[in-house]
Amino acid sequence: MAFTHALVGALLAAPVVALAPEFAVPAAAAGIVGGLLPDLDLFVGRHRRTLHFPVLGWALALPAIGVAAVAPTTATVAAAVGSASFALHAGTDALGAGDEIRPWERTSAEAVFDHRRGRWIAPRYWIRYDGAPEDVVATAALAAPIVAFYPAPLPAIAAACVALGVAYAVVRRRLPPVVEELVG
């Protein structure tokens, strides 16, 4: 669920919140954007392949983290958190369902494409599908430390992610016919 990915990205800024609070908001914002960015391939290319890099994404993130550790500025810290969030997104997609319109039916063996090995990684179903009850619980659990410890406006953003995640979960299983009607 996009809200879960966004909050994972914001949580990657936790060391920044604790050690360099002057960079906290830009770092968390970059984490949120990095956590959402891979899903742009819903609109361009093939979802969970075009912009998802479960292994190769770290080739960008690790040097960015190194640069931020050596030369911390708003830009380097934000780039480190954002690129780490981008890389982590694809890996966490493999923990859920496949890329299908009704993931609770488990008809796909393709969770996310591993470009390094040239093959699809199978879904693990730790979270049965986006918008499943356990996805909402994960979203709320991820939001809790942000609400408790992060500076404004991040607690409000985290609370909004939980509220939107709950609303999405309520309608999730009713969406496939609507999507099929719109897309054809």
Side-chain angles (χ1 to χ4, degrees):
M1 181 161 63
F3 311 111
T4 310
H5 287 303
L7 293 174
V8 166
L11 271 182
L12 290 178
V16 178
V17 172
L19 301 173
E22 67 275 18
F23 302 135
V25 172
I32 291 167
V33 171
L36 296 173
L37 192 60
D39 280 339
L40 289 178
D41 66 11
L42 278 162
F43 310 105
V44 177
R46 172 132 188 240
H47 183 50
R48 294 195 180 178
R49 181 177 179 145
T50 305
L51 295 176
H52 285 65
F53 303 100
V55 177
L56 296 178
W58 292 102
L60 172 67
L62 293 175
I65 293 167
V67 169
V70 172
T73 66
T74 300
T76 61
V77 171
V81 175
S83 61
S85 180
F86 177 85
L88 191 59
H89 174 120
T92 57
D93 274 351
L95 300 177
D99 182 28
E100 62 232 302
I101 195 162
R102 292 177 178 84
W104 48 87
E105 293 176 358
R106 297 187 179 200
T107 59
S108 176
E110 300 175 346
V112 67
F113 192 76
D114 178 353
H115 292 83
R116 188 171 147 270
R117 292 182 183 92
R119 65 177 176 82
W120 285 91
I121 297 170
R124 304 289 193 284
Y125 295 103
W126 291 7
I127 291 181
R128 293 172 294 150
Y129 57 90
D130 63 306
E134 61 269 22
D135 199 5
V136 174
V137 170
T139 301
L142 292 165
I146 297 168
V147 169
F149 300 111
Y150 280 43
L154 298 165
I157 293 169
C161 284
V162 173
L164 292 168
V166 169
Y168 177 69
V170 168
V171 300
R172 172 60 178 104
R173 290 180 69 112
R174 296 181 186 105
L175 290 178
V178 175
V179 171
E180 290 167 339
E181 178 88 17
L182 291 172
V183 176

